[in-house]
């Protein structure tokens, strides 16, 4: 438990230090672009390595915001990572209609802000989409948002992995051996070393090494540890 707490605190401190290295002119950047916090793998999209670097250096998207000073219509139409998609297309606003101050509101297609909050890609990372994939995430024209078309596009996106053809996965002996070792280790710790009793002392009261309180606290700390580090 102590190790998990120390690691979580270290991650929080690292992120706080990283933020201090960013120019103060970028303060408030979360409100300068739509879906800023919806890029799932990026703790902060303005940093190099798509938000996972600890050196504080800015990526192309970071320099976009820095140079434009939060002017979203200007940033929206640019393609600084040269992947054929504008920043607006990548952040769900292909028509560049989003306005600052709307980022905290519930999504409503009729409000004519960003077009979507799904299928978001990083505007500072070279993305490769299938032919026509970007068009399938945009309205026919920017004068109106068709609700039926939007619903069909979301459904295609949501079930895209299911509709794709299955690829043959070769069996790698090293992976099979590693998986077998992993199963043995889990079983060994679960039954021989008392892991089952420590996880749920109520079911195995005679073999439990931890009290119910300590077991529950460990699970809570482990959950918050994973939550804090999941976007790192």
């Amino acid at each position: 438990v102590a190790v998990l707490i120390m690691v979580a605190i270290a991650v929080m401190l690292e992120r706080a230090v990283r933020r201090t290295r960013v120019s103060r002119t970028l303060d408030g950047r979360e409100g300068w672009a739509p879906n800023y916090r919806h890029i799932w793998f990026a703790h902060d999209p303005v940093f190099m390595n798509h938000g996972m670097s600890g050196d504080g250096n800015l990526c192309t998207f970071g320099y976009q915001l820095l140079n434009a000073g939060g002017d979203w219509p200007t940033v929206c139409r640019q393609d600084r990572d040269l992947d054929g998609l504008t920043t607006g297309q990548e952040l769900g606003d292909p028509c560049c209609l989003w306005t600052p101050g709307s980022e905290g509101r519930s999504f409503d297609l009729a409000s004519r802000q960003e077009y979507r909050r799904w299928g978001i890609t990083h505007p500072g990372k070279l993305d490769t989409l299938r032919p026509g994939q970007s068009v399938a995430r945009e309205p026919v024209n920017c004068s109106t948002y068709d609700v039926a078309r939007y619903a069909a596009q979301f459904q295609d996106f949501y079930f895209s992995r299911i509709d794709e053809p299955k690829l043959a996965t070769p069996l790698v002996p090293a992976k099979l051996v590693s998986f077998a070792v992993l199963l043995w280790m889990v079983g060994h710790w679960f039954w021989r070393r008392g892991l089952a009793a420590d996880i749920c002392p109520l079911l195995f009261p005679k073999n439990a090494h931890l009290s119910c309180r300590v077991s529950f606290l460990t699970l809570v700390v482990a959950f918050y540890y994973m939550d804090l580090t999941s976007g790192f």
Side-chain angles (χ1 to χ4, degrees):
V1 175
V3 173
L4 291 177
I5 294 177
M6 291 176 62
V7 172
I9 293 175
V11 171
M12 295 171 61
L13 290 176
E14 186 276 334
R15 290 180 176 178
V17 171
R18 185 195 306 174
R19 286 177 175 271
T20 63
R21 298 177 179 177
V22 180
S23 172
R24 295 301 300 271
T25 56
L26 282 174
D27 288 349
R29 57 190 177 278
E30 294 86 352
W32 293 357
N35 296 309
Y36 191 91
R37 292 300 186 191
H38 291 173
I39 306 173
W40 69 270
F41 58 84
H43 167 58
D44 195 323
V46 300
F47 291 110
M48 283 293 291
N49 296 332
H50 327 314
M52 295 179 286
S53 172
D55 54 15
N57 293 327
L58 298 179
C59 65
T60 55
F61 178 57
Y63 283 111
Q64 275 185 281
L65 295 181
L66 183 65
N67 296 331
D71 182 5
W72 173 243
T74 299
V75 174
C76 179
R77 295 175 174 83
Q78 297 175 343
D79 177 23
R80 289 296 179 86
D81 57 2
L82 304 177
D83 57 3
L85 300 172
T86 66
T87 300
Q89 287 176 302
E90 300 212 53
L91 290 181
D93 184 27
C95 296
C96 301
L97 297 177
W98 180 86
T99 54
S102 59
E103 65 277 0
R105 304 172 187 170
S106 299
F107 178 77
D108 180 13
L109 199 64
S111 65
R112 308 246 320 132
Q113 291 290 326
E114 70 269 40
Y115 181 67
R116 66 181 193 277
R117 291 184 177 178
W118 45 268
I120 305 301
T121 54
H122 199 301
K125 173 181 176 292
L126 183 65
D127 293 289
T128 303
L129 299 180
R130 298 190 305 272
Q133 188 173 359
S134 62
V135 177
R137 299 179 178 181
E138 301 177 7
V140 175
N141 58 71
C142 292
S143 60
T144 182
Y145 286 168
D146 187 290
V147 176
R149 178 181 173 84
Y150 172 85
Q153 289 175 339
F154 175 75
Q155 185 176 24
D156 289 341
F157 161 77
Y158 192 83
F159 294 103
S160 60
R161 295 292 182 182
I162 297 178
D163 296 335
E164 292 178 356
K166 294 183 179 180
L167 300 177
T169 303
L171 293 177
V172 181
K175 290 185 177 181
L176 293 177
V177 173
S178 299
F179 183 66
V181 172
L182 177 62
L183 290 179
W184 176 84
M185 292 179 62
V186 171
H188 177 73
W189 278 92
F190 200 81
W191 298 112
R192 299 292 184 180
R193 302 298 295 272
L195 181 60
D198 290 339
I199 292 177
C200 191
L202 291 176
L203 294 180
F204 307 93
K206 295 182 179 181
N207 301 323
H209 299 91
L210 302 177
S211 65
C212 292
R213 180 180 298 178
V214 173
S215 179
F216 177 75
L217 178 61
T218 302
L219 292 175
V220 171
V221 173
F223 171 80
Y224 279 104
Y225 165 76
M226 292 300 298
D227 185 60
L228 289 170
T229 59
S230 60
F232 177 65

